[in-house]
Amino acid sequence: MLGSLLGAIGQGVIWGVMVLGIFITYKILNVSDLTVDGSFATGGAVFAVTALANIDPTICLIIAMMAGGVCGFITGLLHTKCKIPAILAGILTQLGLYSINLRILGDKANVSIANIDTNITFLAHLTNLPHSRAGMLLGIIVSIICIIFLYSLLGTEFGASIRATGNNEKMIRALGVNTDNIKLFGITLSNMLIGLSGAMLVEMNKYADVGMGKGAIVYGLASIVIGEVFFRRFSNFGIRLFSSVFGCILFFIIRAIVIRLGLKANDMQLISAIIVVIALAMPIFKENMAMRNRGASNA
Amino acid sequence: MLKITNVYKTFNVGTINEKRALEDVNLTLNDGDFVTVIGGNGAGKSTLQNVISGATTPDSGKIEINGIDITKFPEHKRAKYIGRVFQDPMLGTASDMWIEENLALAYKRGENRSPFRWMISNDKENQFKMSLAKLGLGLEDRMKSKVKLLSGGQRQAITLLMATIKKPDLLMLDEHTAALDPKTASLVLNLTNEIIELDKITTLMITHNMRDAINYGNRLIMMDQGKIIYDVSGDEKKKLTVEDLLKKFNQTKDAPSDAMILG
Ligand SMILES: Nc1ncnc2c1ncn2[C@@H]1O[C@H](COP(=O)(O)OP(=O)(O)O)[C@@H](O)[C@H]1O
Ligand SMILES: [Mg+2]
């Protein structure tokens, strides 16, 4: 029981870095970016092949992160320079990435890195922890670094213009900010984190799979939504960032419970979709209810 | 200061909805001019401001500020020179951000925004507090409130402060009190006048209220069908009455709106 709980936390912190990436686009920039499923796998694939080439695993993580960033940059260019709606731009990139990811993996659907040294094996060696616990440790370290980085960035003059672009684009443009460049930057940064997260998952699972990003966007949104249930009242950005990772941990705990109840891991896609639908529909339901109640009291 | 030469703008060219919004507009503002702009609905007042700010691209013509030709500058590059307030209180502020964050955003209008400097320092916080106190709305005690919690009048007062906290070469107001109740409207308008006179800001203020157009500023222009049809300043403007303006209006093709007659 404790084992599967810790396992869920481990998955949660590794995927949590991806959720932080999604938080940047969906919650801060107010842009729906669907590159995620592709760039997550790109990060994983790039990590696998660079690690297999005996490159230092920390550098491999950085390369994977850059690769994710390139994916985001492409979506950003399609959106800001070619004026393609963000959702479509992301779908196009994601579609193209499927082919590219297969190429990266040498036309194989999955590639094992079972006997390769990674950051997790290094941490396992250092701390004498089993592989999955060391993976959790890596996830915790990277999540904390990302939260601190994002929190600091958003508090700067530049970071404030990112938040303002998501909040009132017209206003911040009138105040002299090139909002296209801000979006390009934000979508790129977001996918850097997503690629990094994919790379860490490959370290954890010891293999890369071309389909590893499937449904990632929905898992990410579900995580944000679950986190908000607990931290809705807080407007502090540090807490909201933490809330995203926390939501992701809870997501994987729910997933562990669901599997224990006899459902399949793949059922999680449906459950995630339902969670997101409920969260998105909730404000409308509430409004309708309020209206009906008002109508009743007026009558 | 501001020089507009032979500016034309037509919307939806070649369609059934083709609409000439500006026709051969020429206008020169001197430093410190406070110009009120009136005209019927669709006369082209907002479009005039939009081509100056860069929100709309003119079909032809030239726009200069301080002798610099800005006709080809994108909107965000003109921000260095221009402060704006719109009619809709929602447009001028970032509603999910704090009051002081909004002011900090405006404080850097047209400047580089560093990723290595905090947006709010103690110095700035004190300065913002003093500026807010001058509005007399008690907002200096709510610097960490989200703007969306404020009333329309409060938001508009903050937008006005944002547009002027770093003195703009040109301030443009587009019926910025029209969405407020009469009492709040006159409060915001008085604030506007105080700030403009104190800092001697060159201003172009669109209003639908003829009395305000007469009472404020040193110059008045009237637009009709995309053209400036009347331009008075100095003593001649001081002697102007609402009746004079109404008479002028009746000679135009656009009928004045109800709001204008009431004004
Ligand atoms: N973006 C636009 N697209 C099409 N027509 C427009 C647009 N903006 C303004 N117009 C038209 O141009 C004319 C002038 O509009 P506007 O400058 O907003 O007038 P005013 O502010 O004096 O009421 C109107 O007929 C209006 O319908
Ligand atoms: Mg208008």
Side-chain angles (χ1 to χ4, degrees), chain B residues 45-46 174-175 206:
Chain B
K45 308 179 294 294
S46 298
D174 189 349
E175 307 203 18
I206 299 173

Side-chain angles (χ1 to χ4, degrees), chain B residues 11-12 17 19-22 39-48 50 56 174-175 206 223:
Chain B
F11 289 105
N12 305 318
N17 294 320
K19 175 76 201 175
R20 173 156 281 186
L22 293 177
N41 278 332
K45 308 179 294 294
S46 298
T47 306
L48 176 64
N50 286 336
T56 300
D174 189 349
E175 307 203 18
I206 299 173
M223 290 187 70

Side-chain angles (χ1 to χ4, degrees), chain B residues 133-151:
Chain B
K134 279 189 210 138
L135 297 180
L137 298 171
L139 295 173
E140 63 276 17
D141 300 322
R142 302 176 62 185
M143 305 243 295
K144 287 189 167 49
S145 290
K146 283 191 182 174
V147 169
K148 70 174 165 202
L149 301 173
L150 305 181
S151 69

Side-chain angles (χ1 to χ4, degrees), chain B:
Chain B
M1 192 272 111
L2 172 74
K3 188 160 178 234
I4 300 172
T5 331
N6 307 120
V7 164
Y8 287 80
K9 177 72 196 179
T10 307
F11 289 105
N12 305 318
V13 178
T15 73
I16 188 164
N17 294 320
E18 180 164 315
K19 175 76 201 175
R20 173 156 281 186
L22 293 177
E23 186 171 355
D24 198 14
V25 173
N26 291 280
L27 178 67
T28 302
L29 300 195
N30 300 315
D31 271 331
D33 263 354
F34 179 178
V35 182
T36 56
V37 185
I38 54 172
N41 278 332
K45 308 179 294 294
S46 298
T47 306
L48 176 64
Q49 291 202 344
N50 286 336
V51 296
I52 297 171
S53 76
T56 300
T57 321
D59 299 331
S60 60
K62 189 167 164 188
I63 298 153
E64 291 158 276
I65 285 188
N66 295 335
I68 304 165
D69 183 353
I70 60 162
T71 318
K72 298 241 151 52
F73 284 21
E75 185 179 7
H76 63 89
K77 280 213 180 127
R78 304 188 193 193
K80 174 155 77 177
Y81 313 103
I82 297 169
R84 289 192 87 177
V85 185
F86 300 98
Q87 175 175 348
D88 183 352
M90 302 300 156
L91 287 183
T93 42
S95 57
D96 281 329
M97 296 175 79
W98 296 338
I99 293 178
E100 67 173 13
E101 288 176 329
N102 273 275
L103 293 176
L105 288 169
Y107 190 76
K108 291 251 117 190
R109 176 171 50 77
E111 290 177 32
N112 265 336
R113 294 167 197 263
S114 163
F116 304 108
R117 218 175 11 235
W118 298 121
M119 73 181 298
I120 294 172
S121 61
N122 285 341
D123 278 2
K124 278 194 204 166
E125 205 160 42
N126 288 333
Q127 187 193 340
F128 295 162
K129 202 172 202 122
M130 272 166 27
S131 306
L132 282 167
K134 279 189 210 138
L135 297 180
L137 298 171
L139 295 173
E140 63 276 17
D141 300 322
R142 302 176 62 185
M143 305 243 295
K144 287 189 167 49
S145 290
K146 283 191 182 174
V147 169
K148 70 174 165 202
L149 301 173
L150 305 181
S151 69
Q154 290 171 325
R155 283 182 80 150
Q156 218 50 342
I158 288 180
T159 311
L160 183 67
L161 190 55
M162 287 170 65
T164 53
I165 196 159
K166 182 181 154 201
K167 187 186 167 185
D169 294 305
L170 174 66
L171 175 65
M172 294 201 286
L173 312 165
D174 189 349
E175 307 203 18
H176 69 304
T177 61
L180 309 176
D181 64 80
K183 196 162 149 251
T184 318
S186 87
L187 185 125
V188 171
L189 199 55
N190 281 329
L191 275 173
T192 308
N193 196 43
E194 274 171 33
I195 293 174
I196 292 171
E197 299 212 319
L198 192 71
D199 285 343
K200 311 230 174 329
I201 303 173
T202 312
T203 303
L204 202 54
M205 178 173 95
I206 299 173
T207 173
H208 59 256
N209 186 311
M210 294 201 205
R211 199 157 286 144
D212 291 341
I214 292 168
N215 289 344
Y216 295 96
N218 64 330
R219 184 171 163 193
L220 178 150
I221 61 180
M222 186 187 284
M223 290 187 70
D224 178 49
Q225 306 250 317
K227 291 189 202 143
I228 294 173
I229 54 158
Y230 187 45
D231 185 344
V232 278
S233 52
D235 286 340
E236 197 187 342
K237 171 170 185 284
K238 282 194 193 120
K239 281 189 241 134
L240 216 55
T241 64
V242 172
E243 286 70 37
D244 295 335
L245 283 183
L246 275 178
K247 221 176 282 164
K248 268 271 166 220
F249 254 116
N250 290 332
Q251 295 161 13
T252 70
K253 296 179 202 101
D254 288 344
S257 64
D258 294 345
M260 296 183 115
I261 297 171
L262 289 173

